[in-house]
Amino acid sequence: MTNTKEHAGDTVSLVYQCRLPLSTRTLTYLADLLRRHLKAIRSRWRALPPGRIAVIVLAVLRHDQRLADMAGGNDISATTVRRWRDELIALLAAKAPRLDRALKKIAKRGGEVVLIDGTLIPTQRRTGKANRPNYSGKHRRHGLHVLALTDERGRLVWISAARPGRTHDITAARRDHILAHLRAAGLGALADLGFLGLDDDGDDPVVVTGFKGHPCPQARTRRKGGHPHPGRRTRSGRTRLRPSKELADPHQAPH
């Protein structure tokens, strides 16, 4: 029995079409950003026009396609696709706003609170010891953890750098100094129970946490110097429900 590394004679490379669920505005923005960059560095030639390059990079980022597969379908090398991907990611990262400027912009236009939450971006499993930090025990899969801030309407205003998937929401918020930036801008934040313990100031909380599916206390009372629940002292984000006195059996109290 002999081993050979040659491909079979009837092996051919097949090319198929795939739908990219992104808007034309996103494609146009990325293509224009690349055109301005090429003009700034005086790059006279690329293997493909900026529009095609933007489509390839968006397909890689959206569908997590293998670079070799994308390169084979466009008659270019995998190294070229990797270089284009890193180049466009760097251009997009340079356009991202700073945290302090984004919060001051919200406060300037009359905003009072922001929404904060962490999410996991699924990625492929890495080999070796680098595999463990990216594994999230909560989601039971590999990925990268990012922290996002939105305004009251849910529009994204800031996103943190990618960290290993095992990073906790509180750890990421402390590393980015979220509390200090919120106090400097005079804003409050609403978050889920994953951020419970981030703000230990019970008299004047900046980050108000609540149960999922239940409304959180209004953060605007903090800016006016009041308390979310007058006459009742509670810890930040946690309210204890007491059984009703009208019921004979306290175990029958509604949840």
Side-chain angles (χ1 to χ4, degrees):
M1 180 177 180
T2 59
N3 296 329
T4 178
K5 296 183 179 179
E6 297 179 357
H7 296 282
D10 57 348
T11 301
V12 295
S13 298
L14 301 178
V15 180
Y16 65 94
Q17 294 182 353
C18 182
R19 179 176 177 269
L20 189 62
L22 293 175
S23 62
T24 308
R25 182 179 179 182
T26 302
L27 177 61
T28 304
Y29 176 80
L30 191 59
D32 293 341
L33 188 64
L34 180 59
R35 291 189 186 97
R36 291 193 296 266
H37 173 68
L38 296 179
K39 186 177 180 179
I41 64 177
R42 297 182 181 181
S43 178
R44 298 181 179 180
W45 181 85
R46 287 291 173 96
L48 295 176
R52 289 283 303 278
I53 295 176
V55 171
I56 294 174
V57 172
L58 290 175
V60 171
L61 298 178
R62 183 70 176 183
H63 297 297
D64 198 13
Q65 293 280 1
R66 294 176 64 247
L67 300 182
D69 296 340
M70 294 298 301
N74 294 274
D75 295 330
I76 52 179
S77 64
T79 306
T80 303
V81 178
R82 183 181 295 105
R83 184 173 63 251
W84 289 347
R85 181 200 61 186
D86 297 341
E87 185 180 26
L88 288 179
I89 289 178
L91 293 177
L92 291 174
K95 291 292 183 178
R98 291 173 44 181
L99 178 57
D100 53 350
R101 296 178 180 177
L103 294 179
K104 290 180 181 179
K105 185 177 181 180
I106 293 178
K108 185 177 180 181
R109 65 187 182 191
E112 297 181 347
V113 296
V114 295
L115 308 180
I116 178 173
D117 196 7
T119 184
L120 183 75
I121 300 178
T123 59
Q124 296 179 356
R125 179 177 179 178
R126 303 178 63 182
T127 59
K129 296 182 179 180
N131 170 49
R132 295 184 179 180
N134 289 343
Y135 182 78
S136 174
K138 175 182 177 181
H139 300 276
R140 296 183 179 180
R141 65 177 309 170
H142 296 80
L144 296 176
H145 180 274
V146 293
L147 203 64
L149 290 180
T150 65
D151 58 4
E152 298 176 353
R153 298 183 179 181
R155 294 174 297 189
L156 184 65
V157 296
W158 179 82
I159 189 169
S160 67
R163 294 185 174 90
R166 66 181 182 184
T167 306
H168 197 272
D169 293 340
I170 294 182
T171 304
R174 288 173 178 172
R175 291 180 180 178
D176 291 328
H177 306 285
I178 298 295
L179 286 179
H181 289 291
L182 289 174
R183 293 184 186 276
L187 296 175
L190 301 179
D192 56 11
L193 290 178
F195 294 86
L196 188 63
L198 176 61
D199 190 4
D200 297 331
D201 192 354
D203 297 330
D204 188 19
V206 176
V207 178
V208 181
T209 59
F211 295 98
K212 295 182 178 179
H214 294 266
C216 298
Q218 296 294 333
R220 62 174 57 96
T221 56
R222 184 190 63 82
R223 301 187 64 184
K224 296 180 181 179
H227 194 274
H229 300 280
R232 183 175 60 180
R233 184 177 180 181
T234 59
R235 290 185 295 175
S236 175
R238 179 174 297 181
T239 304
R240 183 178 179 182
L241 299 178
R242 298 182 179 275
S244 177
K245 297 181 179 180
E246 299 178 358
L247 297 178
D249 188 4
H251 300 284
Q252 298 180 358
H255 295 284

